[in-house]
Amino acid sequence: MIKATPDRRILETGIVAIIRGIEPEVCNEVINAIAAGGIEAIEITANTPSAVDMIQEVSDEFDDIVIGAGTVLDSETARAVQMAGAEFVVTPSINVNVIKTCKRYGTPIATGVMTPTEAVRAIEAGSDFCKLFPASTTGPEHVSAINGPLPQVPIVPTGGVSLDNAAAFFNAGAVALGVGSAIVDKEAIEAGEFDLLTETARKFAALAEEHR
């Protein structure tokens, strides 16, 4: 059986859980907890200490999870995370050199955009997804506003996505959602309550299944 490509698995899962700023020694437990809730796409941000090493370790450890790198700001970082095993790359803004590096080596990329002009520029440069960021400042209506004239643009709202607004973002046309602290609860992690991450991940996965 042919394994689905990373971009296809992101679309199938509908949720990308974002890990930022956690300690390396709990990373595997966090990923196990999120995966147990039905989320198969996980992003580790490049501004997390030891991010490249973490990506390398979890890529070797987890066969059934799609591991990506976020907050990638330059082509050097893009290549470093690719070499470490990142299967997709996420940026907060448009950097054409980062997009070129990802396309050169066959790595799907979600590029940060806010406006229709940026969305067109990102797609024309080769981006696979447009990461609407920060989604908290625009709301779900911004997704449908962009997709009105640009229905071909696959939008992934990120930043401020919660259980309270996830359904609205999907209903507005989002193809997937990037979710950070709403799933990767640092207080729960510090308390060792990884089951709370699983419970929340399960709720997000159910919303994705119901509203797409």
Side-chain angles (χ1 to χ4, degrees):
M1 182 177 179
I2 299 175
K3 187 176 180 179
T5 59
D7 52 338
R8 174 53 54 186
R9 293 186 67 188
I10 289 171
L11 290 173
E12 290 173 352
T13 299
I15 302 290
V16 178
I18 302 168
I19 294 175
R20 183 189 305 275
I22 69 169
E23 297 299 324
E25 55 266 24
V26 298
C27 188
N28 282 9
E29 287 183 274
V30 169
I31 291 176
N32 272 319
I34 295 170
I39 293 176
E40 299 178 355
I42 295 177
E43 168 192 333
I44 298 174
T45 64
N47 60 347
T48 296
S50 304
V52 174
D53 292 336
M54 290 170 64
I55 291 169
Q56 177 79 64
E57 180 179 344
V58 299
S59 295
D60 292 339
E61 180 72 21
F62 296 94
D63 292 330
D64 297 330
I65 304 300
V66 180
I67 302 295
T71 318
V72 175
L73 301 178
D74 51 64
S75 56
E76 292 81 8
T77 303
R79 189 60 185 140
V81 297
Q82 285 176 319
M83 295 288 286
E87 297 178 80
F88 64 93
V89 165
V90 182
T91 74
S93 58
I94 298 173
N95 184 309
V96 173
N97 288 331
V98 172
I99 297 173
K100 287 180 178 178
T101 298
C102 289
K103 304 313 291 185
R104 182 177 297 126
Y105 297 103
T107 305
I109 179 170
T111 301
V113 306
M114 179 59 74
T115 67
T117 298
E118 291 174 341
V120 169
R121 183 183 174 207
I123 293 297
E124 288 182 346
S127 187
D128 299 278
F129 302 101
C130 285
K131 167 187 167 181
L132 180 62
F133 177 80
S136 59
T137 64
T138 60
E141 296 82 4
H142 199 61
V143 177
S144 54
I146 292 177
N147 273 161
L150 301 171
Q152 74 277 22
V153 174
I155 298 177
V156 182
T158 305
V161 175
S162 68
L163 287 170
D164 292 331
N165 60 25
F169 276 115
F170 280 129
N171 292 338
V175 299
L177 302 176
V179 185
S181 58
I183 293 176
V184 189
D185 184 332
K186 289 187 178 180
E187 290 186 5
I189 293 170
E190 290 173 1
E193 297 175 339
F194 297 100
D195 57 320
L196 295 180
L197 277 64
T198 301
E199 181 181 348
T200 305
R202 187 172 290 120
K203 291 177 180 178
F204 272 105
L207 282 169
E209 183 174 356
E210 179 181 356
H211 291 279
R212 292 186 305 152

